[in-house]
Amino acid sequence: MTPLEYELLEKLMRNPGLLFSRDHLLDIIWGYEYAGSTRTVDTHIQKLRSKLDLGSNIKTVHKIGYKFEVPSNDTE
């Protein structure tokens, strides 16, 4: 895992259920001076999902951003 991937994952996991826009994640992880596109966030999220098998935890909110969800243990 790269340092940026770690920072991104840490931010999401420390705030379960909180929705982060792509722009906000760019600001807090990459910094205000970052000139790249929000696709950078998408790419890093995809890498995290595949490296750590977190597809069911990192949720995409279409056209907005991402959030981390802790699965419930409901067996009903």
Side-chain angles (χ1 to χ4, degrees), residues 9-21 56-59 61 64-71:
L9 180 61
E10 181 180 35
K11 180 55 76 177
L12 292 170
M13 289 182 75
R14 286 188 183 268
N15 299 282
L18 184 62
L19 176 61
F20 290 94
S21 72
S56 63
N57 298 94
I58 301 175
K59 301 293 185 185
V61 178
I64 298 174
Y66 298 98
K67 64 181 176 177
F68 187 85
E69 290 185 352
V70 180

Side-chain angles (χ1 to χ4, degrees), residues 30-72:
W30 281 264
Y32 288 103
E33 290 82 35
Y34 182 75
S37 77
T38 58
R39 291 292 300 155
T40 298
V41 176
D42 299 338
T43 301
H44 280 75
I45 291 289
Q46 184 59 34
K47 288 179 182 179
L48 282 173
R49 284 176 172 154
S50 91
K51 285 181 181 181
L52 302 174
D53 193 28
L54 291 172
S56 63
N57 298 94
I58 301 175
K59 301 293 185 185
T60 302
V61 178
H62 187 65
K63 295 192 179 201
I64 298 174
Y66 298 98
K67 64 181 176 177
F68 187 85
E69 290 185 352
V70 180
S72 66

